[in-house]
Amino acid sequence: MHRNAKRTLAAALALALAAGTITAPAPADAAGKPKLSKSSLTLKAGKKATVRIKNVKAKQVKKLTVKTSAKKTATVKKNGKTAFTVTAKKKGSATITAGVKVGKKTTNLKLPVKVTGGSPSGTQQPPAPAVTTPASTPAAPSTNPPAGTTVPGTPETPPPVPPSSLAPTAEPLTDYLETFEGADGSGDLGDWHVRCAEDSETKLELSEDAHEGNYAALVTGREKSWNGLEIELTDRIQPGAKYRATFYAKIPEGYSFRKVDLRLSGGTIYSDEEDDADYENYPPDKNQKIVPGEWTEISEEFVVSEYFHQYNLYVETFGYDTAPFLIDDFHIELVQPAAEYDPSLQSIKEAYAPYIPVMGVAVNFGQVMNEKTLAFIKHHFNSITMGNEMKISAMLSKEETLTLDEAEKLGYVVSEAYKKCEDNKDVDGNVIVPKISFEQAEKVLAKAKENGLKVRVHSPFWHSQMPQHFFTKNYTPYKDMPEKPSDNRDRYTDKETMYTREEMYMQTLLKHIIDGGYEDTVTALDVVNEYLHMNFKPLDKYRNYWECIFGGKDMKSPYVKKAFAAADEYLRACGKRDKISLMYNDFSTYDEVNEVIELISNINAKDDQNPSGNKLCDGIGMQSHVRLETKAEAYENAIKAFDAAGFEIQITELDVDSHTGTSEITEADKTKAWEANAKKYAEIMDVILRQKDAGANITQVTVWGITDASSWLQDSAPLLFGATVADKKPSFDAFINAALNFKK
């Protein structure tokens, strides 16, 4: 997914020029010395101001960083690469520092900010009570008139704000309509702006080719699928609430595109700090086709993330389509306020306490950081697994390296063998180490420890979602990907170097956990994920770079074994081996029992990588993405076989595909699907409980998500709660009753 860019300055610049407040800089091809458009800033509390970087173009700026000296006084957010927005919080003074990198030089620009008394952020006078706005009602008047228009004298008493206004308010957004007509009918883009403008020539402008009325919004000059238009709703949309967005879209006449897949999505950014700015989609990506010359109605309901630092709703396209498109009559309405969970419900962890000591759930960063959602998690579970945030793809998300001295000062574990490998050095022969981003994982671990939750770490090594530079010579990133990774094998390092990198990453991760005091919080690591299903896929995100170095699947799995050996060695050296289970995690294990046993037996075999014959892999993480056709007998036989092989067994990714699909279904079909879902949960949990009672070493069960709305299989309604944590499904009752009614 691509990180949101903020509002372009075109409209604001035009308005400022019209008002005579600033002077347009002379165009220049070469970058001049960066300057700020303001030398100082005075704002009332609750107000915002945009400051731009002068004398440089967005394409010339390699990187823009912004920070404030006093977050309680004023905060700052980037708007692409050539602007930032300052928000006044409370009375006082602050200094904003903007670091503008052009070429190899970074210029630090200082902006003094003074905040005077006024309405604090988010406490402006709310609009009149929201009412449903008919589709023909004009949009709320913009606070800025279109450039070039004559502004009449300001009335003594300003007109009331219409209920469809998107002005920030203490009340949650309930109803909003943008028709792009403007207050006086002369057209206005309102709060909409170009998405990801800094890397394209994308433009957003008014068009007279409207669905209704005189104007629509037109996006042109698109170079990437994500170049579209967006609106920031951070201070207005209600976290955890359910909304419906409806609008009309089409491709303008005269274009050769026969159809385009359009997407409405919501970008959720969890932090304003780059190393912590995880990004998710609510609503998730869903393609809807539009065609030239014909308006298509697009409507979608979605639940907003429970927690975010910034929330943008945007429209883009899928794939390589760069056709211009129009949108009009964009309507957002509240369907259901954020729901509270019912604390009187039987606790899952308490129901299973006599049988399964650890009952967990998969979560994302935002859910852990939201206090209400965290309360729900703590009521029902005593363990969490991060779906993505602790994968190596997140930890090595930045293609940056550290010097050896920098890495060792930060506590990285770098072996002598690592230092000797030429591919672990830069062009000058200096040892380098990839930067590992611990910031978000640290926050999760600290929050878990503070709240008495255990953590499963998922998952250091996988064949999918691996950062490419982890495998290349000198950690060189490549943007020009061949059709297959094997077409450029000379880019990638050798086996021995790769072993040293595995060891460095695994042992540095464990050192961070132990040095942070989390050895009693982290109970397990999915050291390697899905090796038995390693494959090749064409998209960069899913490419199997291991294959470029080690070739195809090998049941003796030398690099898989190396990952376990590195983890085992470090934990034993620290005297913590009994604290953390080292697991192999995979799906369809109940259909591939013999292959799982062979692989883990090879990992634990005595050889050059395991000369002491230690049990390197403790057992199997049984991903249980169960389908309605999954046979309970096969599932039970797998547990018996794994137990007989001496494996610890953890049920790691439990959900049940209800076969509801992506199409509209009737209430009767939904009821039938949910009943089948509940029945299958009851069958699987009964198997787990009976095998546990029979002596199987089942130590954990983890449900793979909180609600259907946040599930990776949300269209299949696979979990115990539906749209929200208040939407208890029959599967919850079946899950609970399996434990409450279990008879030994």
Side-chain angles (χ1 to χ4, degrees):
M1 287 181 274
H2 306 278
R3 183 174 297 180
N4 282 359
K6 304 285 178 61
R7 179 190 306 268
T8 58
L9 296 175
L13 181 59
L15 293 174
L17 288 168
T21 56
I22 61 174
T23 303
D29 294 329
K33 185 177 180 180
K35 293 184 178 180
L36 297 179
S37 60
K38 300 178 185 293
S39 58
S40 63
L41 197 60
T42 300
L43 292 171
K44 288 185 177 181
K47 298 295 184 181
K48 298 182 180 182
T50 298
V51 180
R52 62 186 182 84
I53 313 298
K54 298 169 60 176
N55 298 345
V56 292
K57 297 180 180 179
K59 62 179 64 178
Q60 296 168 325
V61 178
K62 297 288 186 182
K63 186 177 182 181
L64 172 65
T65 58
V66 292
K67 61 182 180 180
T68 176
S69 63
K71 288 186 176 182
K72 292 183 179 180
T73 301
T75 59
V76 60
K77 294 181 185 178
K78 292 188 294 185
N79 285 355
K81 292 184 179 179
T82 56
F84 56 86
T85 297
V86 179
T87 302
K89 293 295 185 179
K90 69 176 185 177
K91 188 175 181 180
S93 297
T95 299
I96 304 299
T97 302
V100 186
K101 186 177 182 180
V102 179
K104 295 183 178 180
K105 183 179 180 181
T106 298
T107 303
N108 289 316
L109 305 173
K110 304 288 187 180
L111 178 70
V113 177
K114 181 179 180 181
V115 178
T116 61
S119 299
S121 177
T123 60
Q124 292 95 331
Q125 183 178 356
V131 295
T132 302
T133 309
S136 59
T137 302
S142 171
T143 56
N144 294 317
T149 60
T150 302
V151 183
T154 304
E156 293 183 3
T157 304
V161 181
S164 60
S165 169
L166 208 53
T169 171
E171 297 297 322
L173 172 66
T174 57
D175 202 281
Y176 157 75
L177 176 70
E178 181 59 81
T179 62
F180 304 106
E181 299 298 311
D184 58 1
S186 61
D188 190 345
L189 292 170
D191 288 322
W192 290 85
H193 54 274
V194 173
R195 182 168 189 258
C196 298
E198 75 271 14
D199 60 356
S200 78
E201 299 298 322
T202 308
K203 295 180 180 178
L204 176 63
E205 55 195 357
L206 290 168
S207 170
E208 294 182 358
D209 185 2
H211 171 249
E212 287 189 3
N214 299 315
Y215 296 99
L218 172 64
V219 188
T220 59
R222 302 175 60 243
E223 298 176 12
K224 302 290 184 181
S225 61
W226 54 85
N227 296 144
L229 74 167
E230 69 181 353
I231 185 169
E232 184 178 345
L233 302 174
T234 305
D235 299 327
R236 293 158 271 193
I237 206 157
Q238 182 182 2
K242 186 176 185 180
Y243 285 89
R244 180 185 300 111
T246 305
F247 63 99
Y248 292 84
K250 75 171 183 177
I251 304 170
E253 298 276 8
Y255 288 88
S256 59
F257 294 86
R258 288 181 293 178
K259 61 184 179 180
V260 169
D261 287 325
L262 203 70
R263 284 178 169 181
L264 169 70
S265 198
T268 303
I269 298 176
Y270 289 135
S271 173
D272 61 347
E273 298 183 21
E274 288 191 32
D275 287 334
D276 195 23
D278 196 33
Y279 180 97
E280 293 197 36
N281 290 85
Y282 290 86
D285 297 333
K286 180 179 180 181
N287 299 334
Q288 305 203 46
K289 298 188 185 303
I290 61 172
V291 296
E294 180 181 327
W295 286 101
T296 299
E297 182 182 40
I298 293 176
S299 184
E300 186 170 349
E301 290 189 356
F302 58 94
V303 177
V304 178
S305 176
E306 299 95 335
Y307 169 89
F308 50 81
H309 173 76
Q310 180 183 325
Y311 184 90
N312 291 45
L313 199 65
Y314 59 87
V315 183
E316 61 177 10
T317 59
F318 170 70
Y320 300 100
D321 292 327
T322 55
F325 61 85
L326 292 143
I327 70 165
D328 202 0
D329 298 329
F330 200 102
H331 188 201
I332 306 172
E333 55 187 328
L334 180 68
V335 175
Q336 180 179 322
E340 302 284 347
Y341 84 97
D342 181 0
S344 68
L345 282 180
Q346 169 66 57
S347 165
I348 291 173
K349 66 182 181 183
E350 291 176 5
Y352 279 85
Y355 315 109
I356 311 292
V358 180
M359 297 297 293
V361 64
V363 295
N364 61 41
F365 180 75
Q367 291 168 332
V368 176
M369 293 299 117
N370 180 267
E371 292 303 322
K372 290 184 178 179
T373 309
L374 183 60
F376 167 87
I377 294 169
K378 290 168 60 178
H379 177 70
H380 285 295
F381 304 98
N382 54 16
S383 173
I384 57 174
T385 302
M386 307 308 296
N388 286 295
E389 291 87 343
M390 290 186 180
K391 288 177 180 173
I392 193 172
S393 55
M395 306 285 275
L396 288 183
S397 60
K398 296 184 181 299
E399 297 167 346
E400 298 179 15
T401 58
L402 304 172
T403 66
L404 177 61
D405 184 56
E406 290 172 331
E408 290 184 334
K409 285 181 179 177
L410 291 171
Y412 288 51
V413 181
V414 185
S415 69
E416 291 303 315
Y418 181 100
K419 298 173 187 177
K420 292 177 182 178
C421 294
E422 290 302 313
D423 286 353
N424 292 336
K425 300 176 183 178
D426 63 18
V427 293
D428 297 320
N430 301 309
V431 176
I432 54 176
V433 182
K435 182 180 179 180
I436 305 173
S437 298
F438 286 112
E439 290 81 0
Q440 195 170 88
E442 171 65 30
K443 289 185 178 181
V444 171
L445 290 170
K447 181 70 75 169
K449 183 176 181 179
E450 176 188 342
N451 287 275
L453 294 168
K454 304 298 184 182
V455 176
R456 297 189 77 259
V457 175
H458 175 82
S459 124
F461 297 120
W462 194 12
H463 65 268
S464 186
Q465 282 184 257
M466 293 293 296
Q468 181 208 32
H469 66 286
F470 188 62
F471 299 85
T472 63
K473 295 177 180 178
N474 317 114
Y475 295 106
T476 302
Y478 291 95
K479 303 301 181 186
D480 54 327
M481 293 301 300
E483 183 177 347
K484 293 183 179 180
S486 56
D487 291 345
N488 284 97
R489 288 189 182 275
D490 60 331
R491 293 178 172 181
Y492 301 94
T493 190
D494 55 71
K495 294 180 181 180
E496 293 305 317
T497 300
M498 204 64 224
Y499 292 146
T500 70
R501 293 182 181 184
E502 286 184 84
E503 182 181 66
M504 178 278 300
Y505 181 80
M506 176 59 68
Q507 296 191 350
T508 300
L509 175 61
L510 286 169
K511 186 175 190 298
H512 186 85
I513 290 170
I514 292 170
D515 286 356
Y518 300 119
E519 69 269 26
D520 291 320
T521 299
V522 174
T523 59
L525 267 77
D526 288 332
V527 176
V528 175
N529 194 48
E530 300 177 6
Y531 177 77
L532 291 176
H533 296 93
M534 61 180 287
N535 57 12
F536 167 79
K537 293 184 179 181
L539 297 178
D540 292 355
K541 178 180 177 181
Y542 299 107
R543 294 192 176 217
N544 182 5
Y545 300 111
W546 297 102
E547 183 268 343
C548 300
I549 301 169
F550 293 92
K553 184 168 60 178
D554 176 358
M555 292 301 286
K556 290 189 176 179
S557 56
Y559 70 84
V560 172
K561 185 161 188 166
K562 180 62 179 179
F564 280 95
D568 177 82
E569 177 186 54
Y570 189 81
L571 289 174
R572 288 182 188 278
C574 296
K576 307 290 185 182
R577 184 60 182 89
D578 62 333
K579 292 285 189 179
I580 300 175
S581 296
L582 303 178
M583 308 298 290
Y584 171 71
N585 193 57
D586 212 331
F587 62 88
S588 298
T589 53
Y590 32 89
D591 295 324
E592 299 168 353
V593 174
N594 293 334
E595 290 88 342
V596 171
I597 293 175
E598 180 184 358
L599 178 66
I600 295 179
S601 297
N602 286 337
I603 293 171
N604 289 333
K606 184 176 181 179
D607 59 13
D608 290 344
Q609 285 190 327
N610 185 22
S612 300
N614 291 328
K615 187 176 185 178
L616 306 180
C617 177
D618 292 302
I620 179 67
M622 291 181 65
Q623 289 185 28
S624 298
H625 298 299
V626 174
R627 300 177 64 83
L628 297 180
E629 307 87 56
T630 301
K631 301 295 185 183
E633 181 181 8
Y635 195 91
E636 186 162 17
N637 287 337
I639 293 177
K640 290 179 180 179
F642 296 148
D643 183 58
F647 298 167
E648 179 180 348
I649 300 166
Q650 297 182 3
I651 312 303
T652 57
E653 302 184 20
L654 177 61
D655 54 24
V656 177
D657 187 335
S658 298
H659 296 335
T660 52
T662 58
S663 59
E664 294 292 328
I665 62 172
T666 65
E667 282 300 314
D669 287 339
K670 177 180 174 182
T671 299
K672 185 177 180 181
W674 281 21
E675 289 174 350
N677 176 276
K679 182 179 179 181
K680 184 56 65 175
Y681 265 114
E683 287 180 1
I684 295 300
M685 295 313 299
D686 183 62
V687 165
I688 292 169
L689 287 165
R690 282 192 286 106
Q691 285 306 307
K692 176 66 175 179
D693 185 55
N697 187 23
I698 303 172
T699 58
Q700 300 189 29
V701 172
T702 297
V703 180
W704 204 240
I706 294 177
T707 65
D708 291 341
S710 59
S711 167
W712 74 298
L713 292 175
Q714 64 173 264
D715 290 324
S716 298
L719 296 173
L720 309 181
F721 293 83
T724 70
V725 293
D727 187 13
K728 178 175 71 73
K729 293 168 58 180
S731 53
F732 173 84
D733 295 323
F735 194 94
I736 285 289
N737 289 334
L740 295 181
N741 299 331
F742 180 70
K743 296 180 179 179
K744 295 186 177 183

PDB file of all heavy atoms in Angstrom, residues 533 586-593 596 622-625:
ATOM      1  N   HIS A 533       5.005 -24.293   1.577  1.00  0.00           N
ATOM      2  CA  HIS A 533       4.188 -23.726   0.500  1.00  0.00           C
ATOM      3  C   HIS A 533       4.909 -22.587  -0.213  1.00  0.00           C
ATOM      4  O   HIS A 533       4.268 -21.714  -0.810  1.00  0.00           O
ATOM      5  CB  HIS A 533       2.849 -23.248   1.053  1.00  0.00           C
ATOM      6  CG  HIS A 533       2.014 -24.355   1.602  1.00  0.00           C
ATOM      7  ND1 HIS A 533       2.033 -24.720   2.942  1.00  0.00           N
ATOM      8  CD2 HIS A 533       1.164 -25.215   1.003  1.00  0.00           C
ATOM      9  CE1 HIS A 533       1.211 -25.736   3.132  1.00  0.00           C
ATOM     10  NE2 HIS A 533       0.671 -26.060   1.977  1.00  0.00           N
ATOM     11  N   ASP A 586       2.465 -23.039   9.645  1.00  0.00           N
ATOM     12  CA  ASP A 586       2.043 -23.287   8.261  1.00  0.00           C
ATOM     13  C   ASP A 586       0.546 -23.567   8.205  1.00  0.00           C
ATOM     14  O   ASP A 586      -0.090 -23.861   9.222  1.00  0.00           O
ATOM     15  CB  ASP A 586       2.812 -24.479   7.671  1.00  0.00           C
ATOM     16  CG  ASP A 586       3.037 -24.332   6.164  1.00  0.00           C
ATOM     17  OD1 ASP A 586       2.212 -23.678   5.494  1.00  0.00           O
ATOM     18  OD2 ASP A 586       4.042 -24.859   5.662  1.00  0.00           O
ATOM     19  N   PHE A 587      -0.006 -23.460   6.970  1.00  0.00           N
ATOM     20  CA  PHE A 587      -1.431 -23.747   6.779  1.00  0.00           C
ATOM     21  C   PHE A 587      -1.605 -25.153   6.200  1.00  0.00           C
ATOM     22  O   PHE A 587      -0.652 -25.789   5.737  1.00  0.00           O
ATOM     23  CB  PHE A 587      -2.083 -22.691   5.884  1.00  0.00           C
ATOM     24  CG  PHE A 587      -1.547 -22.595   4.479  1.00  0.00           C
ATOM     25  CD1 PHE A 587      -2.070 -23.379   3.461  1.00  0.00           C
ATOM     26  CD2 PHE A 587      -0.539 -21.695   4.163  1.00  0.00           C
ATOM     27  CE1 PHE A 587      -1.595 -23.290   2.166  1.00  0.00           C
ATOM     28  CE2 PHE A 587      -0.047 -21.579   2.873  1.00  0.00           C
ATOM     29  CZ  PHE A 587      -0.577 -22.391   1.865  1.00  0.00           C
ATOM     30  N   SER A 588      -2.832 -25.639   6.239  1.00  0.00           N
ATOM     31  CA  SER A 588      -3.193 -26.975   5.729  1.00  0.00           C
ATOM     32  C   SER A 588      -2.359 -28.083   6.353  1.00  0.00           C
ATOM     33  O   SER A 588      -2.120 -29.127   5.734  1.00  0.00           O
ATOM     34  CB  SER A 588      -3.066 -27.025   4.194  1.00  0.00           C
ATOM     35  OG  SER A 588      -3.939 -26.114   3.585  1.00  0.00           O
ATOM     36  N   THR A 589      -1.922 -27.859   7.587  1.00  0.00           N
ATOM     37  CA  THR A 589      -1.092 -28.874   8.248  1.00  0.00           C
ATOM     38  C   THR A 589      -1.861 -30.164   8.469  1.00  0.00           C
ATOM     39  O   THR A 589      -1.256 -31.247   8.532  1.00  0.00           O
ATOM     40  CB  THR A 589      -0.587 -28.354   9.602  1.00  0.00           C
ATOM     41  OG1 THR A 589      -1.706 -27.900  10.383  1.00  0.00           O
ATOM     42  CG2 THR A 589       0.378 -27.191   9.413  1.00  0.00           C
ATOM     43  N   TYR A 590      -3.176 -30.080   8.590  1.00  0.00           N
ATOM     44  CA  TYR A 590      -3.989 -31.276   8.808  1.00  0.00           C
ATOM     45  C   TYR A 590      -4.175 -32.067   7.523  1.00  0.00           C
ATOM     46  O   TYR A 590      -4.701 -33.177   7.543  1.00  0.00           O
ATOM     47  CB  TYR A 590      -5.355 -30.909   9.415  1.00  0.00           C
ATOM     48  CG  TYR A 590      -5.893 -29.567   8.989  1.00  0.00           C
ATOM     49  CD1 TYR A 590      -6.678 -29.422   7.855  1.00  0.00           C
ATOM     50  CD2 TYR A 590      -5.596 -28.427   9.729  1.00  0.00           C
ATOM     51  CE1 TYR A 590      -7.164 -28.188   7.467  1.00  0.00           C
ATOM     52  CE2 TYR A 590      -6.070 -27.188   9.352  1.00  0.00           C
ATOM     53  CZ  TYR A 590      -6.851 -27.065   8.210  1.00  0.00           C
ATOM     54  OH  TYR A 590      -7.322 -25.833   7.823  1.00  0.00           O
ATOM     55  N   ASP A 591      -3.735 -31.509   6.384  1.00  0.00           N
ATOM     56  CA  ASP A 591      -3.744 -32.247   5.117  1.00  0.00           C
ATOM     57  C   ASP A 591      -2.342 -32.679   4.700  1.00  0.00           C
ATOM     58  O   ASP A 591      -2.191 -33.427   3.726  1.00  0.00           O
ATOM     59  CB  ASP A 591      -4.354 -31.382   4.002  1.00  0.00           C
ATOM     60  CG  ASP A 591      -5.822 -31.079   4.250  1.00  0.00           C
ATOM     61  OD1 ASP A 591      -6.516 -31.964   4.778  1.00  0.00           O
ATOM     62  OD2 ASP A 591      -6.261 -29.955   3.935  1.00  0.00           O
ATOM     63  N   GLU A 592      -1.312 -32.207   5.412  1.00  0.00           N
ATOM     64  CA  GLU A 592       0.073 -32.489   5.028  1.00  0.00           C
ATOM     65  C   GLU A 592       0.878 -32.903   6.265  1.00  0.00           C
ATOM     66  O   GLU A 592       1.979 -32.409   6.519  1.00  0.00           O
ATOM     67  CB  GLU A 592       0.686 -31.248   4.366  1.00  0.00           C
ATOM     68  CG  GLU A 592      -0.070 -30.837   3.105  1.00  0.00           C
ATOM     69  CD  GLU A 592       0.331 -29.460   2.593  1.00  0.00           C
ATOM     70  OE1 GLU A 592       1.105 -28.764   3.284  1.00  0.00           O
ATOM     71  OE2 GLU A 592      -0.126 -29.071   1.519  1.00  0.00           O
ATOM     72  N   VAL A 593       0.330 -33.798   7.025  1.00  0.00           N
ATOM     73  CA  VAL A 593       0.915 -34.193   8.305  1.00  0.00           C
ATOM     74  C   VAL A 593       2.319 -34.743   8.142  1.00  0.00           C
ATOM     75  O   VAL A 593       3.257 -34.352   8.860  1.00  0.00           O
ATOM     76  CB  VAL A 593       0.007 -35.231   9.004  1.00  0.00           C
ATOM     77  CG1 VAL A 593       0.681 -35.755  10.270  1.00  0.00           C
ATOM     78  CG2 VAL A 593      -1.346 -34.630   9.323  1.00  0.00           C
ATOM     79  N   VAL A 596       4.976 -32.084   7.351  1.00  0.00           N
ATOM     80  CA  VAL A 596       5.294 -31.254   8.515  1.00  0.00           C
ATOM     81  C   VAL A 596       6.240 -32.000   9.447  1.00  0.00           C
ATOM     82  O   VAL A 596       7.256 -31.440   9.916  1.00  0.00           O
ATOM     83  CB  VAL A 596       4.010 -30.844   9.263  1.00  0.00           C
ATOM     84  CG1 VAL A 596       4.362 -30.167  10.595  1.00  0.00           C
ATOM     85  CG2 VAL A 596       3.160 -29.919   8.407  1.00  0.00           C
ATOM     86  N   MET A 622      -0.244 -24.597  14.005  1.00  0.00           N
ATOM     87  CA  MET A 622      -1.258 -25.073  13.058  1.00  0.00           C
ATOM     88  C   MET A 622      -2.154 -23.905  12.643  1.00  0.00           C
ATOM     89  O   MET A 622      -3.134 -23.590  13.319  1.00  0.00           O
ATOM     90  CB  MET A 622      -2.107 -26.181  13.678  1.00  0.00           C
ATOM     91  CG  MET A 622      -1.395 -27.492  13.910  1.00  0.00           C
ATOM     92  SD  MET A 622      -2.497 -28.758  14.639  1.00  0.00           S
ATOM     93  CE  MET A 622      -3.707 -29.004  13.310  1.00  0.00           C
ATOM     94  N   GLN A 623      -1.787 -23.269  11.535  1.00  0.00           N
ATOM     95  CA  GLN A 623      -2.708 -22.276  10.982  1.00  0.00           C
ATOM     96  C   GLN A 623      -4.024 -22.993  10.698  1.00  0.00           C
ATOM     97  O   GLN A 623      -4.046 -23.975   9.972  1.00  0.00           O
ATOM     98  CB  GLN A 623      -2.167 -21.700   9.683  1.00  0.00           C
ATOM     99  CG  GLN A 623      -0.975 -20.798   9.824  1.00  0.00           C
ATOM    100  CD  GLN A 623      -0.592 -20.176   8.493  1.00  0.00           C
ATOM    101  OE1 GLN A 623      -1.428 -19.990   7.607  1.00  0.00           O
ATOM    102  NE2 GLN A 623       0.686 -19.863   8.346  1.00  0.00           N
ATOM    103  N   SER A 624      -5.079 -22.475  11.245  1.00  0.00           N
ATOM    104  CA  SER A 624      -6.361 -23.166  11.120  1.00  0.00           C
ATOM    105  C   SER A 624      -7.364 -22.284  10.392  1.00  0.00           C
ATOM    106  O   SER A 624      -8.369 -21.863  10.951  1.00  0.00           O
ATOM    107  CB  SER A 624      -6.868 -23.577  12.507  1.00  0.00           C
ATOM    108  OG  SER A 624      -5.968 -24.473  13.113  1.00  0.00           O
ATOM    109  N   HIS A 625      -7.032 -21.990   9.138  1.00  0.00           N
ATOM    110  CA  HIS A 625      -7.981 -21.286   8.278  1.00  0.00           C
ATOM    111  C   HIS A 625      -8.944 -22.344   7.745  1.00  0.00           C
ATOM    112  O   HIS A 625      -8.817 -22.854   6.630  1.00  0.00           O
ATOM    113  CB  HIS A 625      -7.248 -20.559   7.151  1.00  0.00           C
ATOM    114  CG  HIS A 625      -6.313 -19.503   7.648  1.00  0.00           C
ATOM    115  ND1 HIS A 625      -6.754 -18.426   8.376  1.00  0.00           N
ATOM    116  CD2 HIS A 625      -4.968 -19.361   7.542  1.00  0.00           C
ATOM    117  CE1 HIS A 625      -5.717 -17.659   8.690  1.00  0.00           C
ATOM    118  NE2 HIS A 625      -4.630 -18.216   8.209  1.00  0.00           N
TER     119      HIS A 625
END
